[in-house]
Every structure is written in C-alpha cells, then in structure tokens.
Amino acid sequence: MTKPLILTDVEGTTSSISFVKDVLFPYARNALPEFVHENSDNPDVRRWLDTVAAENGGICTDEMIVETLQGWIDEDRKHTALKALQGLIWQDGYLSAEFAAHIYPDAAKALKQWREQGHTLAVYSSGSVPAQKLFFGHTDAGDLLPLFAAFFDTEVGHKREADSYRNIAARLNRPAGEILFLSDVVEELDAARDAGMRTALIDRREDYPEPRTGEATHGHHRVESFADVRPA
C-alpha cells in the first residue's frame, strides 16, 4: 500500500510565526535598499524589480520600488516578486549564520520519523522555493533539506485556491486523496480539501493562544503538535 505523501506549510505549522515576523521580515526590510543598489543589474533581481514597477504604474526609480517592497513587507503581502527578493536577501543571513531558522522540536522529530517510515515529504509555502530550501537547510535542528522531495510556492497558485492543490497533486503525480496537507490556516485547508486532499489543522498554543475548536475548525482534524498527526 502506498504511504500518504505529507505536504506541509511552514509559518505557524513547522515553525513559529514570530520567527518570520520578528526576525526574517525586519532583516529583509533593513537590507533591501543596499541589496537593490548592489544587485539591480543582476538579471535574477532585475526581473522581479521590473515586475513590481510594471504592476504599480511603471515606477521609474529603484528607490520607489524599494519603498513599495518595504510597504509590502509591513503588510505581509503574499506577492511572488517580494517573496523571491526576500529569499535572495535571507540567503546572506543564513550563510553568515546571523540567524538559524526556527523549527518546533516536535515537527523536526516527526518529519524525520515520517521520512524513515517511507513517506514522501513536500513543502507548500507563500515563501519562495529558494527561501524554503534555505530555511530547511539552516534550521536550529540542523540541515533538514534532504528530508523533502519537492517544494512549491505561489507560482503554482495562491494557497486559498483549490486549483493550486490540484496543480501540486498533478506535479507530484499522486492522487489528491493520497496527500495529507498540514497547515495552521483554516482557509488553506478548505482549499486543499476541496481539491480532494486530506487535511490536518495545526493549532499551536505558541502561535494561537485561543484554541480553535468546534465550528472554527471547519471540520478539519485538529492537533496541537506534529506528534498527534496520524499520516496513515
């Protein structure tokens, strides 16, 4: 019998919301001006800067683009260009060991166990795929990158749209019913369920002091730790 594939979110699921909000976002915001100044001619950077400009009435200066991006960081906007640029900036922080990615101990332990048991693991996050790989390659529990077979970001679709999960299932070449999606966001779980996936609501007290129970779960299986997730 084929073991279920486990697809996991990151922020609020494997890792604390506070790490992203209080460490990664401020680091990227502060580093943006110098990063853009030094890398504006790099094609991998320029394409995203031009995307921001084109979507905002043809912003003509990089300084204005930086201000726009910093505003998006403050809003926690889930924009693919912002996420891609943040990932490039965070690379410097990870490689220089200015910080390590937070991961809950129960998540690190369960991910290792599931992989040993033969489950395929994948990630779906609003953060860019390069940022996801940096994150799991530099966690406070060590290098977890080899555990994962695939990574998906918003280029596959937005996380609250069922078609995004259908696209992921197709790319993984697995029936949606053989995929278990883990997330702290009920609306994301709704979309995954609409696509035919199994779901589990990760409702951590560290991130959500008020438990989400009853109707607030939208009928998704609720757990407070990866230790309580039953993949099969």
Side-chain angles (χ1 to χ4, degrees), residues 6-17 19-20 101-111 114 121-125 132 135-136 139-141 144 147-148 159 181-184 202-204 206-208 224-226:
I6 301 170
L7 178 68
T8 185
D9 174 47
V10 179
E11 182 184 350
T13 302
T14 65
S15 311
S16 68
I17 293 174
F19 172 73
V20 177
H102 170 267
I103 187 163
Y104 285 111
D106 62 87
K109 181 178 179 180
L111 290 167
W114 293 336
L121 307 180
V123 177
Y124 181 29
S125 173
Q132 294 171 29
F135 188 101
F136 285 105
T139 80
D140 50 19
L144 302 183
L147 298 178
F148 298 96
K159 297 185 72 184
F181 179 54
L182 312 178
S183 178
D184 64 312
I202 311 300
D203 195 34
R204 296 183 179 278
E206 298 93 336
D207 294 316
Y208 296 90
E224 294 189 3
S225 163
F226 270 39

Side-chain angles (χ1 to χ4, degrees), residues 80-185:
T80 301
L82 171 62
K83 297 302 181 181
L85 291 166
Q86 283 178 323
L88 293 171
I89 292 170
W90 290 333
Q91 180 176 358
D92 294 337
Y94 284 119
L95 296 181
S96 63
E98 290 192 45
F99 49 77
H102 170 267
I103 187 163
Y104 285 111
D106 62 87
K109 181 178 179 180
L111 290 167
K112 292 174 183 176
Q113 289 178 339
W114 293 336
R115 190 67 194 91
E116 290 171 358
Q117 293 166 0
H119 293 280
T120 299
L121 307 180
V123 177
Y124 181 29
S125 173
S126 58
S128 68
V129 166
Q132 294 171 29
K133 291 181 176 180
L134 281 167
F135 188 101
F136 285 105
H138 300 82
T139 80
D140 50 19
D143 181 3
L144 302 183
L145 189 60
L147 298 178
F148 298 96
F151 296 83
F152 301 95
D153 59 22
T154 53
E155 289 200 272
V156 80
H158 292 292
K159 297 185 72 184
R160 301 188 183 195
E161 298 176 359
D163 280 347
S164 304
Y165 299 88
R166 296 187 182 100
N167 291 338
I168 288 173
R171 294 192 186 189
L172 292 169
N173 196 29
R174 295 286 290 269
E178 293 182 2
I179 300 174
L180 171 62
F181 179 54
L182 312 178
S183 178
D184 64 312
V185 179

